[in-house]
Amino acid sequence: EGTFRFEVGEPELKMEQNIEGDLGLIWELNSIALDLSGFYNHITGYIYINPTADSIEGLQVYQYVQNDANISGAALRFDLHPATMKWFDLNSSLAVTRGKLTDGSFLPYIPAHKVFTELRLQKEAMGPLLNAYIALDMDNHFAQDHVAPFETTTESFTLFDAHIGADFNLGKQRMNVNLFCTNLTNK
């Protein structure tokens, strides 16, 4: 009921088999880091779920099916943490994923490309507070128009979050308090 659909299994499904290639490069200095990685998977007998035209008690029936597919992607991460400003950290990452059946149609439930950026300001000690920080996050999701035939496209959107927190000692016990507000712009 939580998914508002009725899922039907398929006992004749075969085990998926995968050939995968991964490549990653990391470049680090005292104040900056850059990671680049990519992957490619060819999956024989990829198992996924598809809707049918049937319904049971008002819930659409989904059937598990199997086809050959290719899933590929890349990630790029940038982290700026100046050695002379230990309280400052800016990091950003880009994630790109693409999934297609070997007939050229898109796989369902593949996420849109995404950029996540965080600015974090932290101080090791501020009076009784330890590791006090404030962080601002931006989570940008690109438009997703590479969708399976039964899916709908989505427009791009950006979410903003704020976090603040610190550790402190209460007697011999270390305590941690974090406050956060997600989706500040109510998107």
Side-chain angles (χ1 to χ4, degrees), residues 38-75:
F39 69 91
Y40 179 83
N41 289 290
H42 174 75
I43 306 161
T44 302
Y46 181 74
I47 299 170
Y48 58 102
I49 196 164
N50 258 342
T52 69
D54 299 329
S55 66
I56 297 174
E57 295 185 24
L59 298 176
Q60 185 172 11
V61 175
Y62 281 69
Q63 176 76 46
Y64 283 91
V65 295
Q66 189 165 39
N67 286 297
D68 294 345
N70 299 309
I71 300 176
S72 59

Side-chain angles (χ1 to χ4, degrees), residues 3-60:
T3 61
F4 299 105
R5 66 184 182 208
F6 192 93
E7 296 181 5
V8 177
E10 173 55 67
E12 300 299 318
L13 295 175
K14 307 289 187 243
M15 183 183 299
E16 293 177 337
Q17 295 189 14
N18 181 44
I19 296 174
E20 178 179 355
D22 295 285
L23 180 63
L25 301 169
I26 300 172
W27 180 63
E28 291 183 1
L29 296 174
N30 284 342
S31 298
I32 193 168
L34 187 64
D35 299 351
L36 175 63
S37 61
F39 69 91
Y40 179 83
N41 289 290
H42 174 75
I43 306 161
T44 302
Y46 181 74
I47 299 170
Y48 58 102
I49 196 164
N50 258 342
T52 69
D54 299 329
S55 66
I56 297 174
E57 295 185 24
L59 298 176
Q60 185 172 11

Side-chain angles (χ1 to χ4, degrees), residues 111-132:
H113 304 334
K114 175 179 166 177
V115 172
F116 177 79
T117 302
E118 179 180 68
L119 172 61
R120 185 178 186 99
L121 308 174
Q122 183 167 339
K123 187 144 172 112
E124 286 185 27
M126 290 177 52
L129 300 178
L130 307 169
N131 302 317

